[in-house]
Amino acid sequence: MNCSFSHFLVGFTTESRRLPLGIDIEIKMSKSIKLLSLQYNQINESDTFSSGDIVEGRVVLEVIKEIKVKSFFVKLTGDAHVSWTEGSGDDETSYSDHERYFKLKQYFIQESSKKDGPVISPGCHVFPFRFQLPQQDMPPSFKGLHGWVKYVLTVKLSRPWKSTSAAQTELNFVLRNYGTNDHLLQPQSGTEDKKIKLFGSGKMSLAVKAEKTGYMQGETIRVFVDIDNSSSRNVRLKYSLKQLQTFIAGKSTNRGFKYIVKETRDRIPSGEKSKFIVDIKLPHDLTVTFENCRILKVQYELKVYLDVSFASDPEVKFPVVILPAEQQCPPWQGPPGGFQPYPPPQPNLVPYPGELPPPPAGLYHNLYNPTVLPYPGAAAGVYPNPHAIQPGFLLAPSAPVYDPNQSTKESTPNVPY
């Protein structure tokens, strides 16, 4: 019995591809198992998920010859992890920490202590699954210099005296836009004066105003700059938007950063006054500000300054809060709390050309019977974040708290997302 699949993988490698109805991760197996395919349905064009969303899909197993199964399940986990080392040789010290938000598991075949475990016959078999992401305050997916936040969907098939077959894929978890706190709409302003004592004389003044503190992904930050160069030196206007990453392991902290924008503007000659409007277009996929993770935080800093040769630069710094774009946040699916009833399998569960044949008669009727299967997550261990804000009290990110003059150890600016 063959499936109408387009096999494009070799050996034991895994790869994902986009489908009209979902995402598919395939792993081509060995002698007994020809294919183990993990698929989930996209719920929006940006392929993102948020708290309370439903994650559903199916596992497709193609078996060449009869196999005995020890256990067969799919799980969904949410975790944050940080790790780094300092020093070298005998003085090298490693730091790490981990935070788990949840672990949900749905068994297709429960693990049994019996010697003769369940048997799956040759052919193609479809196993639907359905989870609901916890409705709690969790950080978005993120990959930084010394840590990450991941939401991973994994399928595992264990057989007696055989290596475990597995496939997994990451979900892109984003924060919802719960509205903007009033203080994020308040304008920001700052001034800085500098006297020139070396290679010149006089003074210069820098005044900066920003329309607000909080901005959505894809929005434009508008800044008004007023410069009075009453010195004998020529200066240039510069500005930058920097992503600040903080990694925490116990009492140790490591910081990294990444420039989102760094530009040089016009020259302001000696004795002149100038006014500028600076527009910074934010990327639509820019990681939002989050401080709801105990071990990893992402904040942003806007800096406007005057480049003065052979002297310290006068500068004004503002905290900037990046909020989720509204278009990325579809309505919650289903009523709050608990899991939704298990859906019966549909004939088009596998969106490949052609159709899969129905499951062989007499083979694990209960695997396809929604009245027999436990609700998704019923056999799971659920580990809520002890620091999570409970449903009904989800807040928009607050303005980041930091001291721009604080001396910190910053890592290389080339931080990957």
Side-chain angles (χ1 to χ4, degrees):
M1 190 182 301
N2 295 320
C3 298
S4 301
F5 290 175
S6 299
H7 293 153
F8 53 92
L9 305 179
V10 180
F12 289 83
T13 60
T14 61
E15 186 172 335
S16 65
R17 64 172 174 172
R18 190 173 298 278
L19 299 171
L21 297 178
I23 297 298
D24 178 37
I25 300 296
E26 297 181 3
I27 180 166
K28 196 173 182 179
M29 309 308 293
S30 55
K31 296 180 180 179
S32 302
I33 301 175
K34 185 177 181 181
L35 182 71
L36 180 61
S37 174
L38 172 62
Q39 305 166 21
Y40 69 82
N41 294 342
Q42 291 180 228
I43 62 172
N44 52 42
E45 292 182 358
S46 57
D47 189 22
T48 58
F49 292 87
S50 297
S51 298
D53 280 342
I54 301 297
V55 180
E56 60 183 343
R58 76 288 307 158
V59 172
V60 178
L61 175 64
E62 185 176 2
V63 180
I64 298 175
K65 61 181 181 180
E66 183 179 277
I67 61 171
K68 290 184 178 180
V69 178
K70 185 178 179 181
S71 68
F72 187 23
F73 63 86
V74 61
K75 66 177 180 178
L76 179 59
T77 55
D79 298 88
H81 182 81
V82 298
S83 63
W84 71 89
T85 58
E86 296 179 5
S88 59
D90 294 337
D91 295 329
E92 183 175 281
T93 305
S94 297
Y95 302 90
S96 65
D97 205 343
H98 193 93
E99 186 172 51
R100 164 148 286 178
Y101 301 105
F102 64 87
K103 178 182 177 181
L104 307 174
K105 185 182 290 187
Q106 179 184 322
Y107 279 93
F108 302 127
I109 298 177
Q110 289 273 7
E111 187 167 355
S112 174
S113 59
K114 296 181 179 180
K115 293 183 178 179
D116 296 329
V119 173
I120 294 183
S121 302
C124 292
H125 310 287
V126 178
F127 301 85
F129 63 84
R130 194 171 197 256
F131 296 109
Q132 183 173 16
L133 289 167
Q135 293 178 2
Q136 66 186 46
D137 188 28
M138 299 178 290
S141 299
F142 179 74
K143 294 179 182 179
L145 182 63
H146 301 300
W148 45 258
V149 179
K150 293 181 181 180
Y151 298 85
V152 181
L153 193 61
T154 305
V155 59
K156 286 189 176 182
L157 173 63
S158 299
R159 295 182 289 161
W161 310 107
K162 302 287 184 181
S163 59
T164 299
S165 303
Q168 66 176 210
T169 184
E170 292 184 31
L171 304 182
N172 186 12
F173 184 86
V174 299
L175 299 181
R176 294 185 183 278
N177 191 337
Y178 296 102
T180 304
N181 292 340
D182 290 341
H183 73 276
L184 297 180
L185 298 176
Q186 297 299 317
Q188 301 187 83
S189 62
T191 59
E192 184 73 15
D193 298 329
K194 179 177 180 60
K195 290 184 178 181
I196 301 298
K197 299 179 180 179
L198 185 64
F199 304 117
S201 60
K203 73 171 186 177
M204 56 188 70
S205 298
L206 172 67
V208 184
K209 293 182 180 179
E211 293 181 316
K212 54 185 177 178
T213 302
Y215 299 85
M216 292 185 184
Q217 295 165 311
E219 198 174 353
T220 297
I221 298 176
R222 171 157 285 189
V223 181
F224 302 90
V225 183
D226 193 346
I227 301 169
D228 182 357
N229 185 12
S230 298
S231 74
S232 59
R233 302 280 297 276
N234 297 329
V235 297
R236 284 190 178 275
L237 172 64
K238 292 187 176 182
Y239 59 89
S240 66
L241 177 65
K242 187 163 60 175
Q243 181 188 82
L244 308 174
Q245 303 179 10
T246 304
F247 308 92
I248 304 167
K251 296 182 179 180
S252 299
T253 300
N254 199 325
R255 291 179 172 87
F257 67 91
K258 174 185 174 69
Y259 281 109
I260 307 304
V261 174
K262 188 177 184 181
E263 295 188 6
T264 300
R265 285 287 295 269
D266 305 28
R267 173 174 169 269
I268 301 95
S270 168
E272 289 195 6
K273 296 181 180 180
S274 299
K275 294 180 182 292
F276 298 92
I277 296 178
V278 174
D279 287 332
I280 301 175
K281 177 69 173 178
L282 298 175
H284 289 276
D285 59 350
L286 184 61
T287 300
V288 301
T289 299
F290 68 88
E291 298 171 307
N292 58 345
C293 178
R294 178 178 57 84
I295 60 176
L296 202 165
K297 303 181 188 303
V298 171
Q299 301 164 319
Y300 291 86
E301 176 189 85
L302 173 65
K303 183 172 78 170
V304 180
Y305 59 106
L306 299 178
D307 186 9
V308 185
S309 301
F310 308 108
S312 59
D313 299 332
E315 61 185 30
V316 175
K317 294 180 180 180
F318 293 145
V320 170
V321 176
I322 306 300
L323 303 167
E326 290 180 320
Q327 61 269 25
Q328 288 189 335
C329 306
W332 281 13
Q333 302 177 27
F339 294 99
Q340 304 305 304
Y342 197 89
Q346 300 300 318
N348 62 343
L349 278 174
V350 184
Y352 283 101
E355 294 184 0
L356 283 178
L363 174 67
Y364 288 106
H365 289 289
N366 65 325
L367 294 179
Y368 304 91
N369 187 344
T371 63
V372 177
L373 271 174
Y375 288 158
V382 181
Y383 306 96
N385 175 12
H387 306 287
I389 300 174
Q390 296 303 312
F393 297 91
L394 293 169
L395 305 176
S398 61
V401 179
Y402 67 97
D403 182 358
N405 298 316
Q406 180 181 3
S407 176
T408 60
K409 181 174 65 176
E410 293 186 330
S411 305
T412 172
N414 296 319
V415 178
Y417 275 112

